[in-house]
């Protein structure tokens, strides 16, 4: 696993590096919170050697001393404190969904937008298996995003196979 993320972290694509860093940091924070909650050693299980993983290894504060440089830590801690595991997972995926939107906000039609679409489809498909209604909500949101992001000129409009 460590080599996988190391390879992603060194990828030429900024998008791939950002998504990998997001996944590593979120996973490491959740691992540490679980380790603390259940009094299990977690320091040797952390992935990578970055600011977040080093802070988690060294700092025993509630926020691992990351609140100033990484304000998203507080939202992860609050999500972790959600008792309903399915609800927690849904909120974590929603957080990832928003992150993907944020890092591609100025990419209009690019490979990054296509990759975000694929990642969101995977999330929605996963939720169809976990909770069908939430999966349907995610899929409908994805369809609305697609509908609102593309606008074709009138010359390409067809109604029932006939040009308007």
């Amino acid at each position: 696993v460590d080599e996988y993320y190391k390879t992603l972290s060194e990828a030429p694509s900024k998008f791939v590096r950002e998504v990998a860093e997001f996944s590593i940091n979120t996973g490491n924070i959740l691992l540490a919170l679980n380790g603390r909650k259940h009094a299990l050693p977690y320091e040797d299980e952390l992935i990578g050697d970055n600011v977040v993983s080093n802070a988690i290894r060294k700092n025993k504060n509630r926020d691992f001393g990351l609140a100033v440089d990484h304000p998203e830590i507080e939202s992860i801690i609050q999500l972790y404190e959600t008792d309903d595991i399915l609800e927690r997972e849904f909120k974590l995926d929603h957080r990832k969904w928003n992150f993907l939107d944020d890092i591609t906000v100025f990419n209009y039609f690019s490979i990054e937008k296509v990759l975000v679409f694929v990642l969101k489809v995977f999330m929605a498909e996963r939720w169809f298996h976990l909770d069908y209604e939430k999966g349907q909500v995610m899929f409908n949101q994805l369809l609305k995003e697609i509908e609102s992001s593309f606008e074709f000129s009138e010359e390409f409009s067809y109604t029932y196979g006939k040009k308007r």
Side-chain angles (χ1 to χ4, degrees):
V1 174
D2 210 11
E3 285 298 315
Y4 170 76
Y5 281 111
K6 184 176 187 277
T7 301
L8 291 178
S9 297
E10 296 170 353
S13 167
K14 180 182 177 193
F15 173 80
V16 171
R17 290 191 310 269
E18 287 178 334
V19 172
E21 181 180 25
F22 178 87
S23 295
I24 291 168
N25 291 343
T26 302
N28 281 341
I29 292 166
L30 293 171
L31 171 77
L33 293 170
N34 266 323
R36 282 181 178 176
K37 179 178 181 177
H38 300 289
L40 296 170
Y42 56 85
E43 293 81 6
D44 293 337
E45 305 304 322
L46 295 169
I47 296 172
D49 184 29
N50 63 15
V51 174
V52 173
S53 62
N54 289 329
I56 292 170
R57 284 184 186 97
K58 295 175 185 174
N59 195 311
K60 302 302 176 196
N61 291 342
R62 178 180 185 270
D63 65 358
F64 307 104
L66 292 168
V68 172
D69 295 325
H70 298 277
E72 71 275 5
I73 184 81
E74 189 56 41
S75 70
I76 297 172
I77 292 170
Q78 288 175 2
L79 290 176
Y80 178 77
E81 293 170 351
T82 303
D83 289 332
D84 182 349
I85 294 172
L86 262 180
E87 189 62 28
R88 181 186 318 157
E89 277 296 307
F90 188 72
K91 289 178 180 178
L92 286 167
D93 277 352
H94 186 70
R95 183 177 171 274
K96 183 176 183 177
W97 189 289
N98 290 336
F99 168 78
L100 292 171
D101 286 341
D102 290 345
I103 65 170
T104 57
V105 72
F106 294 115
N107 297 53
Y108 298 103
F109 191 76
S110 63
I111 188 65
E112 289 83 5
K113 278 291 193 193
V114 173
L115 292 173
V116 165
F117 174 76
V118 170
L119 290 171
K120 287 179 175 182
V121 167
F122 288 159
M123 276 191 271
E125 179 186 26
R126 176 176 175 249
W127 277 98
F128 275 120
H129 297 289
L130 294 173
D131 182 322
Y132 184 81
E133 289 178 13
K134 288 183 179 178
Q136 190 68 46
V137 167
M138 290 181 97
F139 189 72
N140 288 338
Q141 182 180 352
L142 183 57
L143 289 178
K144 285 180 186 174
E145 288 177 10
I146 292 170
E147 288 173 355
S148 67
S149 64
F150 296 105
E151 189 174 313
F152 293 98
S153 68
E154 188 63 30
E155 72 181 274
F156 294 107
S157 296
Y158 285 90
T159 306
Y160 300 105
K162 297 180 181 178
K163 194 171 182 179
R164 287 188 203 182

